[in-house]
Amino acid sequence: MKAIYCLAASAIALAGCSYSSSGPANNRSIERAGLIASGNVDTTGSAEYSGMFVDAHGRIDRDLSLAGANVVSDAQVGGDLNIEGARIRFTGRVEGDTEIAGATMYIDGHFGGRLEVAGVRATIDGDILGELDAMGARMILQGRFAQPVSVVGSGGEGRNGRVIVSGILEQGGYICARHVDFRRDAESRGPLMVIAEEQPDWDGAIEFEPLGSRDCDRIRRG
């Protein structure tokens, strides 16, 4: 997704510097672009926001794309969601698939399809009905995950990062990181494979494999 920036003499005047709406009434799409791309929309089509600061709310019947340095949204999305940014906070509802890439992320909502997350630090909460595929230096799983999860630690000098689980893994899954921690309220109700430097101190059932000198993102599964 490409970010679009508007030119103006004053930075103050850039707030909401462009807005466009296109398509028939039963499939109308919205675009907002500028240093500050903000607004509450209700559209039967798709929507796209891009700028330095993005603040998107409302109901979008089809797909929503957000790109910015700081992205905040609690939108209700009938299709797919795509977010790219440095600092991201999403607390809405998505019926389709979701892809989020950023540095620091807080994700708490309803996700009806597959959720893909890539970044440095991410907290993932809410109801995730599809599979989770996450990669980052520090991943915190707080929500309810209805399908198997796949979480890979990476980044920085620690390379394989840290994963903290305090939510419910309904179907188990796969976690690889240098450090894997399970909090007291964590649950796994399906087969769970953990690859880490040390076996987690946890009463739940896991299949454990020492990480050794390997990198998680280079381990071939299956």
Side-chain angles (χ1 to χ4, degrees):
M1 182 192 307
K2 63 180 181 180
I4 304 172
Y5 297 97
C6 297
L7 300 177
S10 171
I12 298 176
L14 285 172
C17 63
S18 73
Y19 169 87
S20 66
S21 176
S22 62
N26 61 351
N27 189 22
R28 187 170 297 277
S29 295
I30 303 295
E31 291 186 12
R32 293 180 186 269
L35 178 64
I36 300 175
S38 176
N40 192 320
V41 300
D42 185 350
T43 178
T44 54
S46 298
E48 180 174 344
Y49 289 65
S50 56
M52 185 66 71
F53 302 98
V54 173
D55 197 350
H57 309 280
R59 181 183 62 84
I60 297 92
D61 285 357
R62 297 185 67 186
D63 302 334
L64 174 63
S65 295
L66 307 173
N70 190 86
V71 178
V72 176
S73 177
D74 62 359
Q76 310 296 301
V77 184
D80 297 337
L81 171 68
N82 183 281
I83 304 178
E84 295 180 0
R87 185 178 181 88
I88 297 168
R89 181 181 179 88
F90 182 82
T91 55
R93 181 183 183 94
V94 184
E95 301 302 335
D97 296 334
T98 299
E99 295 183 11
I100 301 178
T104 302
M105 293 164 278
Y106 178 77
I107 305 163
D108 184 1
H110 173 97
F111 300 90
R114 181 180 179 86
L115 174 60
E116 297 184 19
V117 177
V120 180
R121 300 170 63 93
T123 298
I124 305 173
D125 206 339
D127 285 318
I128 295 86
L129 303 186
E131 294 182 355
L132 170 70
D133 188 347
M135 175 179 288
R138 184 180 178 87
M139 295 280 136
I140 302 175
L141 309 185
Q142 295 183 170
R144 183 182 71 89
F145 303 87
Q147 300 297 323
V149 304
S150 176
V151 184
V152 175
S154 65
E157 295 181 0
R159 293 184 306 185
N160 292 302
R162 180 183 295 272
V163 176
I164 300 171
V165 182
S166 61
I168 300 173
L169 310 181
E170 297 278 5
Q171 302 294 329
Y174 171 87
I175 299 175
C176 181
R178 185 163 299 282
H179 304 286
V180 178
D181 301 320
F182 290 87
R183 298 300 188 238
R184 183 180 303 175
D185 49 353
E187 295 184 41
S188 179
R189 300 171 183 173
L192 178 61
M193 177 70 183
V194 174
I195 301 178
E197 195 172 70
E198 297 181 356
Q199 183 163 350
D201 182 13
W202 189 54
D203 294 335
I206 62 173
E207 181 181 352
F208 174 74
E209 181 180 317
L211 177 61
S213 60
R214 297 176 295 174
D215 288 340
C216 286
D217 56 3
R218 296 184 179 182
I219 295 176
R220 298 185 63 180
R221 298 172 53 191

